[in-house]
């Protein structure tokens, strides 16, 4: 969203609409935020594209970059899921409905949805990085979008079943006849009916077809590292494999310097890159 | 058109400018020269062979400045931009050139930094060319020069009793309306001084093909060798006129969100919340510093991101010399196969 005179460091005033734990161990919490000013909502959704992120501000604590986990059609709110790690995400976890919060965004490029029209989509996620893929899947589910894309396959792995996010929705996805869902956990659990194993191995087992397809991979670095070659091995050309990157960020608008990958800034030029683009950049991740 | 400024008239002119501008010029403070606002009875500190220790980028991107002020009940407001007219006098061409590079960062089409932009627009920059270039400088090697015009509204050449003033922009022309025109001889003399200054500077290292060497040797042991004596103090980046990295932190007690200069030479700069760090040691951090300046800037704006001011050479506490590091880089093999 171009700032047009407005400071790119000035957060949009928001407040917490809903806050609830996403994982059984309470390490992941989802916040749904609504806009204090309806004009901000209009501007946000006019610019928003799944795959983008925002910087959430807890005044007095700082900012944290989080991927948007909702689709525009869901309503005038923006969803995020935060893992409790540092001081800002700890403060985010303490927020209650009605609390004020600042948000800067949407930032970054998001998924190239126009380019993907007419193609089959293979969506592969691991852990809490699934949030933007959830936004993507939700976006595709809208009746006015679904027809633009072919077959939809989702592969989602977490360490344990308790860490799986958006459980109700994902359970409902299994019943849909317009998509294929493969869930996985790392180690066996009682009553688990889906895959057991690491995501790259599940990808090899599911063997999605590279014909007229694109694959999107978001997960922890170790998962991405082994999933990208697995897709190449299945015959996906590097131009059809996409991933969303993360690095420490402060400004989110290509100025503070720290999220560079060679000459590219993950915040401004990414976070979504194709494997072909990444192959041309230094391995500084 | 060139003008003549008599040296004994300089103080008078600076005082006249003080009516309309806050005038910054190099002055001595605690063993170093700094760009400080002129007060009554000021003394200029023009040591020709030295740049100020802190580059004048600090007048546009202060070492620490508030971005937001916190208000009651979790609210916040924007800090207004500074628009009071300012004049910087006596800036050397390397520092002025560097600011035009920073403009490409802070005044990008999509996200303009209002604080930077307002200060740039409100400031007139009068340069002083280097007729005796400093020994640590290497501006001519990296596409700048002791009389480079980039980023300046006017530039002065020292001709002994007088300065020859070359007007470079409308903003600059407005400053020097009262001066007499230079003769052809004086202009010629200035041009000779400028040529001689340029000619006196040896080429410090080969830049042709340097970017490719750095790119292709990303995984080379070279980086370990050249970073071995680095203490990681970050002074090379802190005093660099083209470095612009900053951190943003909430100062809760002051009630402000503040940006502070930061450096890629620090471990915490790239340390992620998970504990992962893409640049865990000085090896990767040195690689980032050199590659940013001599490779990534070239990709971004097709200019080397260094103007050869020489501060990183002069102030490094262990005598690491970027010129020697880059000469060594040029000896690296051209094609390296990565595992």
């Amino acid at each position: 969203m171009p700032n047009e005179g407005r400071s790119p460091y000035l957060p949009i005033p928001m407040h917490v609409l809903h806050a609830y734990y996403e994982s059984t161990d309470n390490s992941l919490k989802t916040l749904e935020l609504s806009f204090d000013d309806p004009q901000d909502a209009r501007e946000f959704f006019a610019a928003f594209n799944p795959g983008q992120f925002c910087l959430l501000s807890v005044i007095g604590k700082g900012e944290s970059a989080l991927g948007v986990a909702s689709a525009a059609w869901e309503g005038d709110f923006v969803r995020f899921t935060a893992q409790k790690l540092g001081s800002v995400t700890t403060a985010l976890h303490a927020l209650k409905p009605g609390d004020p919060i600042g948000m800067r965004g949407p930032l970054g490029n998001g998924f190239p949805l126009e380019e993907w029209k007419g193609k089959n989509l293979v969506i592969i996620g691991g852990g809490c990085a699934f949030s933007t893929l959830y936004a993507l899947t939700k976006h595709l589910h809208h009746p006015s979008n679904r027809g633009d894309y072919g077959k939809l396959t989702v592969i989602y792995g977490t360490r344990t079943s308790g860490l799986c996010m958006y459980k109700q929705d994902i359970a409902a996805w299994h019943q849909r006849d317009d998509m294929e869902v493969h869930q996985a956990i790392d180690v066996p659990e009682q009553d688990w009916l889906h895959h057991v194993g690491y995501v790259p191995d599940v990808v090899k087992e599911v063997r999605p077809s590279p014909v007229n397809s694109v694959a999107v991979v978001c997960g922890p670095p170790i998962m991405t590292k082994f999933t990208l070659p697995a897709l190449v091995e299945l015959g996906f050309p590097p131009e059809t494999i996409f991933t969303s990157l993360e690095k420490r960020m402060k400004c989110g608008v290509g100025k503070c310097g720290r999220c560079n990958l060679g000459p590219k800034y993950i915040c401004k030029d990414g976070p979504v890159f194709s494997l072909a683009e990444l192959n041309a950049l230094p391995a500084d991740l | 058109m060139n003008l003549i400024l008599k040296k004994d008239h300089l103080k008078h002119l600076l005082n006249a400018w003080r009516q309309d501008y806050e005038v910054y010029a190099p002055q001595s403070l605690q063993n170093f020269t700094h760009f400080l606002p002129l007060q009554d009875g000021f003394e200029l500190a023009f040591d020709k062979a030295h740049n100020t220790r802190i580059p004048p980028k600090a007048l546009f991107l202060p070492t620490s400045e508030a971005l937001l002020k916190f208000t009651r009940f979790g609210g916040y407001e924007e800090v207004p931009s500074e628009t009071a007219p300012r004049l910087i006098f006596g800036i050397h061409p390397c520092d002025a050139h560097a600011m035009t590079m920073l403009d490409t960062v802070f005044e990008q089409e999509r996200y303009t930094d209002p604080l930077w932009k307002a200060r740039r627009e409100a400031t007139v920059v009068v340069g002083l060319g280097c007729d005796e270039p400093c020994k640590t400088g290497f501006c001519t090697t990296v596409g700048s020069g002791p009389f480079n015009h980039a980023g300046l509204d006017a530039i002065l050449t020292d001709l002994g009793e007088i300065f020859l003033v070359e007007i470079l922009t409308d903003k600059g022309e407005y400053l020097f309306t009262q001066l007499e025109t230079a003769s052809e001889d004086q202009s010629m003399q200035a041009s000779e001084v400028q040529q001689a200054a340029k000619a006196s500077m040896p080429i410090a290292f080969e830049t042709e093909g340097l970017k490719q060497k750095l790119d292709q040797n990303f995984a080379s042991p070279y980086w370990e060798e050249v970073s071995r004596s680095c203490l990681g103090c970050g002074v090379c980046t802190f005093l660099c006129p083209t470095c612009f990295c900053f951190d943003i932190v909430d100062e809760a007690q002051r009630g402000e969100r503040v940006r502070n200069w930061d450096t890629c030479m620090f471990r915490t700069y790239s340390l992620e919340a998970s504990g992962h760090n893409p640049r865990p040691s000085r090896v990767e951090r040195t690689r980032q510093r050199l590659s940013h300046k001599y490779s990534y800037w070239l990709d971004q704006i097709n200019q080397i991101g260094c103007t050869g001011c020489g501060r990183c050479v002069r102030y490094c506490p262990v005598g690491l010399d970027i010129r020697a590091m880059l000469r060594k880089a040029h000896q690296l093999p051209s094609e390296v196969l990565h595992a």
Side-chain angles (χ1 to χ4, degrees), chain B residues 140-181:
Chain B
T140 55
T141 301
V142 290
S144 192
F147 286 88
N148 195 288
H149 291 173
L152 294 172
D153 296 303
I155 184 167
L156 273 52
T157 305
D158 191 334
L159 298 179
E161 298 292 304
I162 57 164
F163 289 116
L164 182 114
V165 184
E166 291 172 72
I167 303 294
L168 304 172
T169 67
D170 292 345
K171 262 180 171 177
E173 187 164 11
Y174 179 75
L175 288 178
F176 296 99
T177 45
Q178 309 284 322
L179 300 184
E180 59 182 275
T181 310

Side-chain angles (χ1 to χ4, degrees), chain B residues 40-320:
Chain B
D40 290 338
F42 63 83
E43 283 298 327
L44 295 181
F46 275 139
D47 180 348
K48 285 187 204 163
H50 276 77
N51 277 309
T52 53
R53 183 171 57 158
I54 295 172
K57 72 171 180 186
L59 296 176
F60 300 89
L61 180 72
T63 49
S64 180
E65 74 173 320
L67 297 175
L68 299 180
K69 296 257 185 213
F70 301 154
T71 55
R72 293 170 68 194
F73 310 118
Y76 47 85
E77 57 194 32
E78 199 177 336
V79 173
S81 300
E82 286 172 14
T83 53
R86 303 186 305 177
L87 189 155
I88 307 180
F89 181 81
I91 191 169
H92 286 311
C94 49
D95 284 344
H97 190 175
M99 286 187 318
T100 65
M101 294 181 190
L102 299 188
D103 286 341
T104 68
V105 175
F106 290 105
E107 297 189 29
Q108 280 162 20
E109 224 173 278
R110 256 174 87 203
Y111 298 112
T112 297
D113 186 302
L115 300 163
W116 171 275
K117 189 165 186 259
R119 290 191 184 105
R120 285 287 278 158
E121 282 172 356
T123 309
V124 194
V125 183
V126 178
L128 176 63
C130 306
D131 50 298
E132 291 172 20
C134 55
K135 292 283 175 274
T136 44
F138 49 97
C139 49
T140 55
T141 301
V142 290
S144 192
F147 286 88
N148 195 288
H149 291 173
L152 294 172
D153 296 303
I155 184 167
L156 273 52
T157 305
D158 191 334
L159 298 179
E161 298 292 304
I162 57 164
F163 289 116
L164 182 114
V165 184
E166 291 172 72
I167 303 294
L168 304 172
T169 67
D170 292 345
K171 262 180 171 177
E173 187 164 11
Y174 179 75
L175 288 178
F176 296 99
T177 45
Q178 309 284 322
L179 300 184
E180 59 182 275
T181 310
S183 69
E184 214 158 285
D185 268 4
Q186 286 166 321
S187 292
M188 190 73 85
Q189 199 191 338
S191 161
E192 279 163 17
V193 167
Q194 294 168 8
Q195 289 308 318
K198 217 171 159 180
S200 75
M201 299 187 77
I203 292 301
F205 48 86
E206 180 61 64
T207 53
E208 182 73 37
L210 182 59
K211 173 186 163 43
Q212 289 70 26
K213 297 269 185 181
L214 296 175
D215 290 351
Q216 289 167 357
N217 289 280
F218 190 80
S220 164
Y222 161 80
W223 298 109
E224 206 277 324
E225 286 165 33
V226 294
S227 62
R228 207 173 281 151
S229 55
C230 173
L231 303 174
C233 72
V235 75
C236 50
T237 53
F238 200 75
L239 300 182
C240 173
T242 65
C243 275
F244 55 87
C245 287
F246 58 83
D247 191 11
I248 301 177
V249 288
D250 282 14
E251 294 283 358
Q253 290 187 330
R254 264 157 54 190
E256 289 176 346
R257 177 162 294 165
V258 181
R259 74 163 150 205
N260 300 317
W261 284 5
D262 200 357
T263 166
C264 61
M265 298 307 285
F266 288 172
R267 187 183 66 92
T268 50
Y269 174 81
S270 50
L271 178 65
E272 295 167 15
S274 63
H276 173 69
N277 194 341
R279 297 175 198 139
S281 79
R282 286 189 287 276
V283 177
E284 296 83 11
R285 301 200 278 271
T286 300
R287 179 175 68 196
Q288 163 64 18
R289 178 168 84 89
L290 264 61
S291 298
H292 189 191
K293 300 209 181 297
Y294 287 88
S295 169
Y296 308 156
W297 271 105
L298 283 155
D299 289 316
Q300 287 160 345
I301 61 164
N302 201 26
Q303 277 189 61
I304 291 173
C306 166
T307 57
C309 76
R311 286 185 182 86
C312 59
V313 179
R314 188 179 312 124
Y315 294 105
C316 177
V318 294
L320 270 173

Side-chain angles (χ1 to χ4, degrees), chain A residues 62 80 105 142 177 189 240 247:
Chain A
F80 301 92
H142 193 272
D177 55 10
E189 286 176 31
T240 66
K247 259 192 179 185

Side-chain angles (χ1 to χ4, degrees), chain A residues 55-66:
Chain A
L55 281 152
L56 295 191
S57 261
V58 183
I59 295 303
K61 292 290 178 190
E63 292 182 295
S64 200
L66 293 168

Side-chain angles (χ1 to χ4, degrees), chain A residues 99-111:
Chain A
D99 284 347
I101 181 170
M103 181 184 85
R104 294 199 281 131
L107 299 167
N109 56 0
F111 299 116

